[in-house]
Amino acid sequence: MRTFTGKVVFITGGSSGIGAGLAREFAGRGASVALVARRAERLRTVAAEIRAGGGHALAIPGDVTREGDLERAVALTASGLGPIDVVVANAGFGVVGALEALRIDDYRRQFETNVFGVLRTTYATLAELRRSRGTLVILGSVSAYMAAPTASPYAMSKFAVRALAEALRSELAPHGIAVVLITPGFVESEIRLVDNRGHLRADAPDPVPHWLRMPTKRAARQIVRAVARRRRERIITSHAKLAVFLARHTPRLWASLVRRSRVSRREPF
Ligand SMILES: NC(=O)c1ccc[n+]([C@@H]2O[C@H](COP(=O)([O-])OP(=O)(O)OC[C@H]3O[C@@H](n4cnc5c(N)ncnc54)[C@H](OP(=O)(O)O)[C@@H]3O)[C@@H](O)[C@H]2O)c1
């Protein structure tokens, strides 16, 4: 699938960052895209921009933590654009902080979006994917390989979806469904400006220096290429490749580097 002409791509978290970048990239390669996220206005802006460029896009306000929203979004996509070929379970955010500063509810909130949101997306689209022998794309993270201090909820959620991707890859292969795990390092987006309750703090500075962040468009291009080739996994950014390599092959060295770096993630305010 080098071009996506005639294909329908369903993306959760399409109102900003990687999801919006993917919508533009898929649409640029001929796909019709359905975008789901909570902020209706932002979604409509992305969809309108794609339509103005000659593409087909549908903005469907919805929350991946709410029962029924995804089933409704799938029905609207099928009736508005046609049967779904590619599903991108991308919606996510980060709950950060030291264990003692957090409560069980913080972990639950993290899992509701990043883990159960991905599962809800998978259940809601499975019949479509079976029919199209399509592709399920799951957004993991470099945090699915290493759990940095003060980021345990986020890392736990990403370890979980990496496990889901691995299990489903074998489970769904007999149905002709490919599962592609995307493992980004630092990519330009709003994720580090979103607080532990999922609200954007637009004025907060991004704690990751600009030179370390890959431009969204470039990341989206690499992800779409991996989807076209139905690759099992694509690690995005060279620092992420190095970090995953060190975490996998030299876990003690990596742990001591992390400990010594005294990295600490704080909520944006
Ligand atoms: N950027 C990075 O450096 C990086 C690194 C590793 C992994 N990732 C992963 O990449 C994915 C996309 O994140 P991003 O970096 O592009 O961040 P982002 O710019 O903050 O985008 C997150 C998207 O998820 C949506 N979302 C959040 N909660 C939702 C919910 N309950 N229901 C529906 N949509 C929801 C947001 O839209 P609304 O607020 O409008 O709902 C937004 O469109 C995430 O899974 C993230 O963990 C990103």
Side-chain angles (χ1 to χ4, degrees), residues 93 95 105-113 196-197:
F93 77 112
V95 173
D105 275 350
D106 294 306
Y107 287 83
R108 266 202 196 108
R109 197 179 321 111
Q110 179 72 99
F111 269 58
E112 269 306 324
T113 300
N196 284 356
R197 301 203 156 262

Side-chain angles (χ1 to χ4, degrees), residues 14-15 35-48 51 58-63 72:
S15 62
L35 310 177
V36 182
R38 296 163 303 177
R39 289 170 296 172
E41 210 39 57
R42 291 279 297 262
L43 269 188
R44 279 196 275 270
T45 305
V46 178
R51 283 196 295 267
L58 206 56
I60 309 171
D63 186 331
R72 189 178 55 85

